[in-house]
Every structure is written in C-alpha cells, then in structure tokens.
Amino acid sequence: MNTSIAIALVTVALLFVFVFAGVHISFTLMSLSFVGLFLVTSNFSTALSVLSTTAFNAIRTYTYCVIPLFMLMGTIMAVSGSAGDLFKWAHKMLEKVPGGLAAATVIGNAVFAAVTGVSVASATVFSQVAIPEMRKYKYDPNFATGIVCGSSNLGMIIPPSLFFIVYGTVAQVSIGQLFVGGVLPGILMSAIFIIYTSIYGTRHPAAIGLDPVTRKPLYEDPDPKGKLESTLHALPIVLLIVVVLGGIWGGYVTPTEASAIGCLGAFIIALCKRSLTWKSTGSILLDTSKGSAGILLLLVSAQMYSRLLSVSGAVKWVSASILSANLPGWALIGVFLLLVLALGCVIDGNSIILLTTPVIQPVIQAMGYNQVWWGVILVMAVCIGQITPPFGTIVFACKGVLGNIVDVATIFKHAVPYIFLMLLTIAICMAFPQIVLFLPNMMMS
C-alpha cells in the first residue's frame, strides 16, 4: 500500500467519524477532498484546481434538471390533495374486503409513490389522510401507523425515486433504466405488504376494525356509494403516471423530459382541482428549491470525493483486495448489504449511497453483476434504514404528524414486520434477477 492510498483510506475513516458526529456530509466531503488531494499531490494549487473544476462541471448538464423537476411534481401533487383522492379511490374499490383500508393504504402509497419520489412526503401525507380514516373504522392505531410507515418506503422504490437519481448519477448508470427496473420490485413489495396485512387481520380481527366474535365491521359507512366519483377524481393522476413512466419505458422521452411533462401535468391537475393559491404556490417553489439545492450540493461534494479516491488509486486497491479474497459473489453481496443496513441505523439514505457507491460499485462491476440490478437492490436496502431505529426518518415524519396519538417507540415496534418483508423482497429479487431486469431489457430491445 503506497502513501496516496493510505491517505485516501484515512479520509474514509474520518468521513464516517465526522458524519456520525453530526457534521454535515457535504461540508465533510468537500473538506476531506481538498485536504486529501493536497496531501496526495503535495500541491495546494493542484488540489484547489481539481476541486474548483469539479464544482463547476459536476452538475452543469441538463440531465440534473430531473431532480428539481420530479421534486416539484411530487410537491404539487402532495399539496393539491391528490394523495387523498388516491386513497379514497382505493378504499372504495376495497371497502367490502376485510382489512380493505390497510390494502388501500398500501395501494394508495404505491400509486402516490409514482408522483412523489420521496418517501418522507408519502409518510407525511398518508399519516394525515389514511390514519384518521382507519381510526374512524376502528382499526388499531398502532397497526395503522405500521402500515403507513412500511408502505411509505414504496416512494423510494417505485419510480421516480430520488435514491435512483442519486445512485445513477454517482455510479454513471442510466436513470431511465433504474426507474423502469424499480417498477416490478415495487409492485412485488406492495403485494407482499398486502398479503401480510390480510394474514395479520385474519388472525387479529380487532386490529382491522372487526368484532372478534362475529367478525363484522365495528363501523359501517353511512354512505357506501361514490365509487364512480372517487375513480373520476383519481383518474387524472393515474393517467399522468402512465404518461410519465410509459414515456420513459417506451423510449419516447428521457427522464428529464418526462419530469418536465410530469410537472406540467401536476400543475394542470392542481389548477383543475382549484387547490393552488398564491401562498401555496410560493411554498411549493420554496420547498422544492430547498430540497433540490441540498441534493445537488451532495452530488457536487460526492464527485469531489470521488476525484480524491480516483487520483489516489484507493478504489482500484480496495477492489483488487476484495476480489483477491476469492469470496463467493453471494457472500460479498451479503457483506455489502449488511454494511448498508448498519449504516441505515445512523445516517440518511442519500449519504449511504454517496458513501458506499464509489467503493462498492467498482467491485460489483468487476464481479460481472448488472449495475441496474445492483442499484435497485441497494436502494431497497437503503430504504430499510428509513424505518429502523434510531434514525428512521419515516417514523419521525409520522410522529410529527400524529403528535401524541402514538409514541415513537411504538411506531418503531410496529414497523419491524415491514423490515422483514422488505428483506424478503430483496431476497426474491436476488434469487430471480429478472424481476428487476425484465423491463429494462425490454426498454433496450
């Protein structure tokens, strides 16, 4: 091991130390990149030049417009009340099914995921929409909260997903193929969640608002009609999703163009619903700007750090060292996933992707694994961290909305089954890679 590699590895260790200590990851990445390049090159001007060039060129291409545009699309849909329309539609379709509200929450979250791209947004909205409705129908509040937390993770798996955008940018993998690759795993995970809630409701009827003895609903809807009306309200959103994802899948538009179409469609739907005001529009633009700026800054700082790892030769050294161990592919994948799951307990998903991808992705590539497949597996593993203690951003988003209805420890407890259900989905997608690759392969043919 030469000095340059040793310096890079020390910065990796310091990176984790600073992140765990609470230092902002963008500042940490930039600072360590500069110090590391200075020590590797022994030239202040060279280190400064590399970083300034990276900062200037990192996000200049129009491809990066996909981040603020998809975030704007999701924010408009969230503010316009579209999530409520989706939930009411799913509820009306399943109201005669025992535990139908639980399934409706999963379906509503899955469909809403296709317009938000941010799971915390789904958690916040459905905590306001689905949980009060389930409480009205006498569902166990704890069980209801677990459903919302678990199914909100679909927002980062079903495209457009912010995690896919970040991974695709850092790993230089087609964002369009990642989007399409997440569709079937997202549907599979939704189906597994629904099956679980159905089995749980069968074994614990009181949890889904049924009398434990007669198994009849404890609450009867006084107005069971309205299926046509709810369908008509949800139809524009479903059509927008079909246009956006269908355009990417069919190769008619790029993800960036699709995001612009999605923004326009979301804006038109919101105008037709008369749900936008000057105040809410300003809030939407401000929230989108703040969120986008944070993500783009992360991408710039990550590319700076990648330059350090590349110049020092650390990535090649780590890849060669791991491959020389001659471990089976499944064992290495397992180690990588355990690392991601462990990191998910203490730092956010974007940071995990930015920290691990520069080191892990070259190894995955050298082993011959498909980069789109690994990207989807990685994102699903990262999503688990959003409902694991103590960091669990989705859990705290739900708690922030619900207030004193349920405490944080109880939410974490009832989110645990969904951790295992997500692990099951990952295992199935690893055993049958075509679940991920079927649609991307069709897209390329």
Side-chain angles (χ1 to χ4, degrees):
M1 183 193 303
N2 60 39
T3 305
S4 296
I5 294 174
I7 291 171
L9 294 180
V10 169
T11 65
V12 171
L14 290 174
L15 180 60
F16 282 96
V17 170
F18 290 149
V19 170
F20 290 158
V23 181
H24 194 281
I25 186 167
S26 295
F27 176 78
T28 301
L29 287 168
M30 290 180 183
S31 301
L32 290 178
S33 300
F34 175 75
V35 173
L37 282 168
F38 171 68
L39 293 175
V40 168
T41 62
S42 300
N43 189 305
F44 182 87
S45 298
T46 301
L48 189 62
S49 176
V50 170
L51 294 187
S52 61
T53 302
T54 303
F56 183 72
N57 294 321
I59 55 174
R60 289 187 69 197
T61 60
Y62 97 113
T63 303
Y64 291 98
C65 292
V66 71
I67 295 174
L69 286 175
F70 270 129
M71 291 188 73
L72 177 59
M73 175 184 170
T75 307
I76 292 173
M77 299 300 276
V79 172
S80 68
S82 297
D85 292 338
L86 289 170
F87 178 73
K88 290 174 184 175
W89 166 70
H91 177 205
K92 288 297 180 183
M93 296 301 105
L94 299 169
E95 62 185 353
K96 297 300 182 182
V97 178
L101 266 176
T105 302
V106 176
I107 294 172
N109 245 319
V111 179
F112 192 60
V115 293
T116 57
V118 182
S119 53
V120 173
S122 296
T124 302
V125 171
F126 275 82
S127 293
Q128 296 171 318
V129 174
I131 291 180
E133 193 73 5
M134 284 190 275
R135 293 187 71 198
K136 184 176 78 173
Y137 279 80
K138 308 303 180 183
Y139 274 57
D140 179 359
N142 298 327
F143 176 65
T145 306
I147 296 167
V148 170
C149 284
S151 59
S152 293
N153 259 316
L154 296 168
M156 285 303 192
I157 299 168
I158 295 176
S161 162
L162 186 59
F163 284 171
F164 283 149
I165 296 172
V166 173
Y167 170 78
T169 302
V170 177
Q172 297 297 299
V173 176
S174 168
I175 294 174
Q177 290 188 36
L178 288 167
F179 278 0
V180 176
V183 172
L184 293 183
I187 293 174
L188 173 63
M189 187 177 293
S190 302
I192 290 174
F193 286 173
I194 291 173
I195 292 170
Y196 164 74
T197 57
S198 177
I199 293 173
Y200 188 92
T202 301
R203 297 184 61 185
H204 305 88
I208 59 172
L210 299 181
D211 186 284
V213 179
T214 64
R215 292 187 177 267
K216 291 183 178 181
L218 295 173
Y219 175 84
E220 290 286 352
D221 191 344
D223 182 22
K225 301 178 182 180
K227 287 186 178 181
L228 179 60
E229 183 182 355
S230 63
T231 300
L232 291 175
H233 283 154
L235 187 60
I237 308 157
V238 176
L239 290 176
L240 178 61
I241 293 167
V242 171
V243 169
V244 171
L245 297 185
I248 297 173
W249 181 13
Y252 300 109
V253 294
T254 65
T256 307
E257 292 165 344
S259 65
I261 294 170
C263 276
L264 177 60
F267 183 69
I268 292 173
I269 291 172
L271 286 179
C272 292
K273 288 169 59 69
R274 298 181 179 179
S275 55
L276 289 182
T277 63
W278 285 110
K279 183 178 180 181
S280 64
T281 301
S283 177
I284 288 170
L285 294 175
L286 182 60
D287 290 345
T288 302
S289 300
K290 287 180 178 178
S292 302
I295 297 301
L296 292 172
L297 181 62
L298 278 173
L299 292 177
V300 170
S301 59
Q303 290 195 36
M304 288 182 177
Y305 194 69
S306 295
R307 289 290 182 92
L308 166 62
L309 296 180
S310 176
V311 169
S312 67
V315 171
K316 291 183 179 180
W317 181 83
V318 170
S319 299
S321 300
I322 293 175
L323 293 172
S324 65
N326 293 320
L327 292 174
W330 62 267
L332 281 177
I333 294 291
V335 171
F336 292 155
L337 289 178
L338 286 175
L339 172 63
V340 170
L341 293 174
L343 290 174
C345 294
V346 288
I347 58 177
D348 67 282
N350 287 315
S351 300
I352 295 171
I353 295 172
L354 293 173
L355 289 172
T356 60
T357 298
V359 176
I360 293 177
Q361 194 253 357
V363 178
I364 296 293
Q365 192 170 14
M367 293 168 63
Y369 288 104
N370 185 283
Q371 300 300 291
V372 173
W373 171 82
W374 169 248
V376 174
I377 296 296
L378 172 65
V379 165
M380 286 195 287
V382 168
C383 285
I384 293 176
Q386 297 189 114
I387 55 175
T388 55
F391 196 76
T393 52
I394 285 179
V395 171
F396 286 103
C398 290
K399 171 61 178 175
V401 173
L402 297 175
N404 295 325
I405 294 175
V406 60
D407 61 83
V408 172
T410 302
I411 300 176
F412 274 122
K413 176 183 176 182
H414 286 84
V416 167
Y418 296 91
I419 294 175
F420 291 101
L421 296 175
M422 293 178 72
L423 288 172
L424 173 61
T425 308
I426 292 174
I428 293 173
C429 290
M430 290 177 65
F432 303 98
Q434 281 305 310
I435 295 174
V436 176
L437 298 177
F438 177 71
L439 292 181
N441 289 341
M442 286 187 65
M443 180 181 175
M444 294 177 65
S445 62

